[in-house]
Amino acid sequence: MSAEQKKPGYSIGHRLSLRLALLTMAIVGFTFWCTWNAVAMQLRGKNAQEMEYRSAVITKMLTATAAVGDENAIRQKIESYAAMRDGTRLEIKRADGALVYRDKDIAAHLMSEHVRTNRFTIDAPRVAGGKIDGAFSVDFAQDGKMGEKWAAVLVAATLASGVLIALGAWWQVRRELRPLRELARQTQSISADRLDQRLAMPGGAAELQPWITQFNALMDRLQ
């Protein structure tokens, strides 16, 4: 027996179901990827606006304080406002790099990986060097978690869609292949002493009719 004869056949139904499921997952996945990017873009825009607003509040306060006060005045002003800055972190240095103020490592000012930072320089005539440099960071952990949840939901939905489509396609393909199974049954019933048997598929698929006609013509010649 040759290698080609030993090679097992494949299931048309299983192959069509798998390919349809993969195609569906690709299409649905691309659609969900576009959706996720649209959501992420909206979140980034929202974060940018919030960052701009909160940075403007901080720089305005520091500008007013630094215009008339020294390092101690600046430090006291920031500390008095620190309790109202949950989810942010502020660091102020003189022009020579010396630290003027930095938020303490407490829960209110601890940062996650979802951080945006705005750096600025403000005139401070009563501070050595005449300027102060600041780094104001805002933690957008909540929005980051929302984006991660959206990503997880979309991935799960893509996989679930593929599985459901595969099952539905397998059932539908199996149903549509019933005429082939019926033809196989009819063919098996034909033997050397029953050459008068013919294949018949009333109302069957149009693609099968030429094959049925040619097979019946062959049986006519044999008979």
Side-chain angles (χ1 to χ4, degrees), residues 33-174:
W33 179 80
C34 292
T35 302
W36 185 85
N37 274 277
V39 172
M41 187 179 297
Q42 290 183 347
L43 288 177
R44 286 194 293 268
K46 169 182 169 295
N47 293 346
Q49 290 180 350
E50 182 177 350
M51 184 72 195
E52 183 179 356
Y53 170 76
R54 299 182 75 166
S55 294
V57 172
I58 288 292
T59 53
K60 184 177 181 180
M61 177 193 71
L62 288 175
T63 299
T65 304
V68 296
D70 57 9
E71 287 186 23
N72 289 330
I74 294 172
R75 191 178 300 110
Q76 290 175 2
K77 185 66 174 180
I78 297 174
E79 289 176 347
S80 67
Y81 184 65
M84 296 180 284
R85 289 192 293 102
D86 287 355
T88 67
R89 194 168 182 83
L90 180 62
E91 182 180 273
I92 302 295
K93 294 182 179 180
R94 293 200 307 253
D96 59 4
L99 185 66
V100 175
Y101 173 86
R102 178 185 292 152
D103 285 324
K104 298 177 181 178
D105 291 330
I106 58 177
H109 300 298
L110 293 179
M111 299 281 99
S112 72
E113 67 274 16
H114 304 285
V115 177
R116 282 175 175 262
T117 300
N118 182 38
R119 301 184 182 279
F120 54 86
T121 299
I122 294 175
D123 291 331
R126 298 193 177 188
V127 176
K131 294 181 182 296
I132 56 175
D133 297 319
F136 179 62
S137 302
V138 178
D139 189 2
F140 295 99
Q142 293 298 323
D143 290 339
K145 291 179 180 178
M146 181 185 299
E148 291 172 357
K149 288 180 180 179
W150 262 97
V153 168
L154 294 177
V155 169
T158 300
L159 295 176
S161 298
V163 172
L164 292 175
I165 290 296
L167 293 175
W170 176 81
W171 175 81
Q172 187 65 29
V173 169
R174 183 175 175 81

Side-chain angles (χ1 to χ4, degrees), residues 176-194:
E176 294 299 325
L177 290 179
R178 281 187 300 184
L180 289 178
R181 291 195 294 272
E182 173 61 20
L183 288 177
R185 187 193 64 79
Q186 294 182 28
T187 303
Q188 288 174 352
S189 67
I190 300 175
S191 61
D193 57 347
R194 299 186 62 185

